[in-house]
């Protein structure tokens, strides 16, 4: 009877070894497919790694551009503030001018109107409106 138990245990041990061998072969094939770079998770990891590198480079470039834009904007803001201060000083200096002129308007407005009137005035009647060099030479000789 001991021989039967030994034989059954040997058969069960062999079956277990055969099952473990089949399991190892199947697992090895799955791991091989899992770790290939072209297909499977290995390929996905490689692609994701490359995308992370690209995104890191893009993010660095965007940070650099944002820093430059920030500096430019700061410079422009400072220039605008300086111009605003100058304009405020000019406006304050306009208050020092006389308030009224001969016709009751402010000085700058009256001066501007006088300039417009001079520019719009017709030329004197003795000079022709359009003349050529010949006419000008003839008149100079006479």
């Amino acid at each position: 009877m001991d021989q039967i138990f030994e034989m059954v245990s040997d058969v069960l041990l062999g079956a277990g070894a055969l099952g473990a061998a089949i399991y190892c072969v199947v697992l090895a094939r799955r791991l091989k497919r899992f770790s290939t770079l072209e297909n499977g998770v290995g390929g996905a990891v490689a692609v994701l790694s490359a995308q992370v590198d690209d995104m890191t480079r893009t993010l660095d470039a965007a940070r650099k551009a944002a820093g430059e834009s920030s500096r430019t904007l700061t410079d422009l803001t400072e220039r605008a503030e300086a111009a605003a201060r100058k304009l405020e000083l000019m406006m304050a200096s306009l208050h020092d001018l006389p308030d009224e002129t001969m016709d009751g308007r402010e000085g700058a407005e009256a001066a501007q109107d006088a300039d417009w009137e001079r520019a719009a005035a017709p030329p004197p009647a003795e000079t022709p409106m359009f003349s050529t060099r010949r006419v000008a030479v003839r008149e100079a000789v006479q």
Side-chain angles (χ1 to χ4, degrees):
M1 186 117 164
D2 282 335
Q3 287 183 346
I4 294 177
F5 284 125
E6 283 182 24
M7 199 149 59
V8 171
S9 71
D10 287 342
V11 169
L12 288 176
L13 186 63
L18 185 63
I22 293 172
Y23 176 75
C24 287
V25 169
V26 170
L27 185 62
R29 286 183 183 170
R30 285 187 180 178
L31 285 173
K32 193 173 186 180
R33 272 189 260 142
F34 181 75
S35 64
T36 59
L37 289 177
E38 294 174 3
N39 301 326
V41 175
V45 168
V47 168
L48 288 175
S49 176
Q51 287 178 346
V52 165
D53 290 341
D54 290 343
M55 292 299 289
T56 302
R57 278 188 241 115
T58 304
L59 183 61
D60 289 340
R63 279 186 188 148
K64 190 181 291 183
E68 291 173 8
S69 295
S70 174
R71 282 189 291 275
T72 303
L73 186 59
T74 301
D75 292 342
L76 289 174
T77 302
E78 289 173 358
R79 286 178 52 198
E81 288 173 353
R85 282 192 294 272
K86 286 180 184 178
L87 285 174
E88 287 173 0
L89 285 173
M90 292 173 130
M91 291 295 289
S93 67
L94 284 177
H95 292 293
D96 296 339
L97 294 175
D99 287 340
E100 295 184 356
T101 59
M102 295 177 290
D103 60 351
R105 292 179 295 168
E106 291 186 15
E109 189 177 292
Q112 186 180 17
D113 287 348
D115 289 342
W116 280 103
E117 288 172 6
R118 258 186 265 118
E126 63 261 0
T127 61
M129 184 173 263
F130 302 104
S131 66
T132 63
R133 290 182 113 190
R134 288 186 207 147
V135 173
V137 170
R138 271 191 242 146
E139 288 178 1
V141 172
Q142 292 177 357

